[in-house]
């Protein structure tokens, strides 16, 4: 249980093209954007991504890094349709497995428990079964003989999530109103990497917050990246809200132009470009 701190570049250096990655957060909320930007600066491609999608999916899709997406939705929340993802999807630029949120939850739970599948009612009576012909149903062996969807396990090679605080051993703390599926992404993955707003001593994690806020167990975490404002431009409440002005810029700017200006050689370049853009807006 040694020091697990590393840089975003070191995290990406442990990943490989063709992997299946789980990305935490929800829409445009608490996404591990510092890790997503590091992925974009790398040469990794042909990725399968499992995500409650937001700009993480939009950026990776627009950059041509995705082979397949498993999701229940892709949204920017205040902008209902993620425009860069939508453009890629409309031209058939990636494979899509779209399922109900409850099915995604069960798939992650099955993987976390090392089960091949878990039964779920979600999806029955909907077009989910029609557009995903590989899905199967099972009949309960108990009274009633109910037919249920057999949601296959969503096994991940690696998970990427962002939390509010963490210690150097990999304990991750969520101080926000919703943990989303972040703990399940980590439990479903062979390796899990977390970025956090601040690394603190272990004792500090519970000085002002309950032990229940310790969402991620260090046994499930491979590496920790300290990244203040690391979810930008998504929200990381209560530390900060979504940068709505920048999100609107992202949504309306053609991808090559946005990437050319804001996705430079390193994270410092991103922060400098955002600061320069903000100065221009104030003038």
């Amino acid at each position: 249980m040694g020091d697990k701190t590393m840089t975003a570049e070191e995290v990406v250096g442990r990943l490989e093209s063709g992997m299946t990655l789980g990305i935490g957060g929800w829409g445009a909320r608490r996404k591990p954007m510092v890790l997503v930007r590091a992925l974009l600066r790398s040469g990794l491609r042909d990725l399968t991504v499992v995500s409650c999608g937001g700009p993480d999916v939009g950026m990776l899709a627009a950059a041509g890094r995705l082979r397949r997406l498993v999701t229940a939705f892709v949204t920017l929340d205040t902008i209902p349709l993620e425009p860069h993802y939508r453009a890629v999807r409309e031209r058939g630029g990636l494979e899509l497995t779209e399922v109900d949120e409850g099915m995604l939850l069960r798939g992650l739970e099955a993987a976390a428990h090392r089960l091949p599948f878990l039964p779920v009612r979600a999806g029955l009576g909907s077009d989910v079964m029609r557009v995903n012909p590989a899905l199967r149903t099972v009949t309960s062996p108990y009274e009633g003989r109910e037919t249920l969807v057999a949601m296959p396990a969503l096994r991940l090679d690696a998970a990427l999530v962002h939390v509010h605080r963490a210690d150097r051993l990999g304990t991750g703390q969520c101080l926000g109103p919703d943990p989303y599926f972040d703990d399940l992404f980590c439990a479903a993955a062979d390796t899990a990497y977390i970025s956090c707003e601040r690394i603190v001593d272990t004792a500090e994690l519970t000085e002002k917050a309950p032990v229940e806020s310790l969402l991620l167990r260090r046994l499930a975490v491979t590496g920790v990246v300290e990244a203040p404002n690391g979810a930008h431009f998504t929200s990381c409440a209560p530390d900060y809200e979504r940068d709505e002005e920048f999100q609107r810029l992202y949504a309306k700017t053609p991808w090559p132009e946005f990437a050319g200006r804001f996705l430079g050689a390193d994270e410092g370049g991103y922060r400098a470009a955002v600061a320069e853009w903000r100065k221009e807006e104030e003038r």
Side-chain angles (χ1 to χ4, degrees):
M1 288 300 174
D3 189 328
K4 296 180 181 178
T5 57
M6 56 180 62
T7 66
E9 286 69 29
E10 288 172 332
V11 169
V12 172
R14 296 188 174 201
L15 307 179
E16 298 178 4
S17 293
M19 276 187 164
T20 297
L21 305 181
I23 302 180
W26 189 275
R29 306 175 214 177
R30 214 176 73 242
K31 284 291 181 177
M33 297 306 295
V34 69
L35 301 179
V36 171
R37 288 189 289 269
L39 271 176
L40 289 166
R41 292 192 297 269
S42 76
L44 297 181
R45 52 196 324 106
D46 296 322
L47 300 171
T48 294
V49 164
V50 181
S51 174
C52 296
D56 55 328
V57 169
M59 290 183 178
L60 291 170
R65 306 304 182 87
L66 297 188
R67 181 183 64 83
R68 178 181 174 225
L69 174 66
V70 181
T71 190
F73 55 80
V74 183
T75 179
L76 297 178
D77 294 327
T78 52
I79 299 174
L81 298 178
E82 214 290 356
H84 298 295
Y85 160 74
R86 179 180 182 176
V88 173
R89 177 61 183 155
E90 286 179 345
R91 66 173 182 266
L94 55 79
E95 300 175 28
L96 175 64
T97 299
E98 188 174 15
V99 295
D100 180 273
E101 291 170 27
M103 297 171 72
L104 191 74
L105 171 65
R106 281 292 182 265
L108 292 172
E109 288 179 334
H113 292 289
R114 303 304 187 260
L115 295 171
F117 71 93
L118 277 176
V120 61
R121 291 190 180 94
L124 292 172
S126 76
D127 278 346
V128 168
M129 303 301 291
R130 179 183 62 81
V131 300
N132 295 291
L135 286 174
R136 298 289 182 263
T137 58
V138 292
T139 302
S140 169
Y142 300 107
E143 184 179 358
R145 306 288 292 175
E146 184 177 2
T147 298
L148 301 165
V149 176
M151 181 62 195
L154 294 173
R155 290 288 303 151
L156 309 173
D157 294 309
L160 308 175
V161 306
H162 186 78
V163 294
H164 300 87
R165 307 288 183 268
D167 66 12
R168 295 180 179 276
L169 301 178
T171 307
Q173 183 176 49
C174 175
L175 299 175
D178 195 329
Y180 310 125
F181 295 168
D182 287 3
D183 54 338
L184 290 175
F185 275 110
C186 292
D190 294 337
T191 57
Y193 301 95
I194 65 175
S195 55
C196 65
E197 293 297 313
R198 186 158 56 92
I199 291 178
V200 300
D201 291 335
T202 303
E204 187 178 334
L205 292 171
T206 52
E207 284 181 356
K208 297 181 180 179
V211 69
E212 290 81 7
S213 65
L214 304 183
L215 180 66
L216 305 178
R217 300 176 181 178
R218 62 179 184 264
L219 289 174
V221 173
T222 309
V224 181
V225 177
E226 185 173 51
N229 212 35
H232 184 269
F233 52 94
T234 71
S235 64
C236 190
D239 288 342
Y240 49 86
E241 297 299 328
R242 185 182 303 116
D243 188 340
E244 295 286 1
E245 288 186 34
F246 191 82
Q247 176 167 274
R248 286 192 290 270
L249 174 74
Y250 163 75
K252 71 181 182 181
T253 304
W255 173 251
E257 181 182 338
F258 181 88
R261 179 172 184 181
F262 294 102
L263 301 178
D266 55 30
E267 186 65 13
Y270 171 78
R271 295 175 186 274
V274 172
E276 180 60 30
W277 166 80
R278 209 172 300 282
K279 288 180 181 178
E280 292 175 2
E281 290 297 298
E282 291 172 354
R283 286 199 287 267

